[in-house]
């Protein structure tokens, strides 16, 4: 009887440990971070460097796990363009072009895209816009649908996160 009781105690303890590890794994996986990584990888994989290769020296495109999209273009003449917005302000996306080459236009609710220009002939300019356009190549319609869906999931997660931080913020939107 002692062996049987010990066996039951051991099984119960192992089951409890297993349940703890499985439940903690769900809390460790951040869907927002996974979606941000997916969007970053997809945009990086399909970015069309030939879009303005005669003028463009380099670019930086990053999606952060707190929902920011940052896009910086460095031109050969020294000019720098910087665009940034938070996916919480994302409204919709359009793709202009075909599967071999096109432009992804990410639209926001209002003028929520920060636009900064440095070392321009007209001087440094700070403004706002309602969209951000990213050149893409070799992207299939299904991939675009998945990409936009991931961005929408990020927006929902960010809005939930925002309401947890400040409950009054959802009333302001």
């Amino acid at each position: 009887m002692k062996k049987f009781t010990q066996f039951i105690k051991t099984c119960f303890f192992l089951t409890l440990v297993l349940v703890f590890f499985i439940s903690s794994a769900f809390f460790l996986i951040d869907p927002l971070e996974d979606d941000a990584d997916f969007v970053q990888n997809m945009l990086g994989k399909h970015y069309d460097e030939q879009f303005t290769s005669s003028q463009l020296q380099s670019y930086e495109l990053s999606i952060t796990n707190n929902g920011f999209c940052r896009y910086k273009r460095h031109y050969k003449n020294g000019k720098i363009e910087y665009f940034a917005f938070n996916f919480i302000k994302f409204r919709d996306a359009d793709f202009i072009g075909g599967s071999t080459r096109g432009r992804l236009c990410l639209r926001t609710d209002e003028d929520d895209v920060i636009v900064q220009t440095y070392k321009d002939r007209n001087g440094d300019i700070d403004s706002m816009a309602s969209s951000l356009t990213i050149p893409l190549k070799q992207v299939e319609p299904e991939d675009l649908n998945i990409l936009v869906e991931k961005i929408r999931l990020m927006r929902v997660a960010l809005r939930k996160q925002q309401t947890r931080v400040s409950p009054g913020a959802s009333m302001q939107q």
Side-chain angles (χ1 to χ4, degrees), residues 35-110:
D35 292 340
D37 288 343
F38 179 86
V39 172
Q40 172 78 44
N41 291 333
M42 182 70 83
L43 291 176
K45 176 181 172 185
H46 294 288
Y47 186 83
D48 188 1
E49 294 180 21
Q50 302 299 319
F51 178 67
T52 55
S53 62
S54 63
Q55 303 165 12
L56 199 61
Q57 180 179 351
S58 65
Y59 76 95
E60 300 168 33
L61 180 61
S62 66
I63 310 298
T64 66
N65 61 355
N66 58 354
F68 278 94
C69 175
R70 295 185 177 105
Y71 179 40
K72 188 184 262 189
R73 297 188 291 214
H74 300 265
Y75 290 89
K76 292 179 181 175
N77 65 3
K79 177 180 170 181
I80 299 170
E81 292 178 330
Y82 174 77
F83 306 88
F85 78 99
N86 194 308
F87 283 116
I88 201 165
K89 300 293 186 174
F90 174 76
R91 181 175 42 113
D92 201 6
D94 296 316
F95 186 75
I96 302 158
S99 60
T100 56
R101 176 174 272 162
R103 292 172 294 160
L104 178 66
C105 184
L106 302 173
R107 301 193 188 289
T108 59
D109 294 330
E110 296 177 19

Side-chain angles (χ1 to χ4, degrees), residues 83-85 106-115 126-132:
F83 306 88
F85 78 99
L106 302 173
R107 301 193 188 289
T108 59
D109 294 330
E110 296 177 19
D111 287 345
D112 296 311
V113 179
I114 298 167
V115 181
D126 289 345
S127 61
M128 301 297 285
S130 60
S131 65
L132 168 63

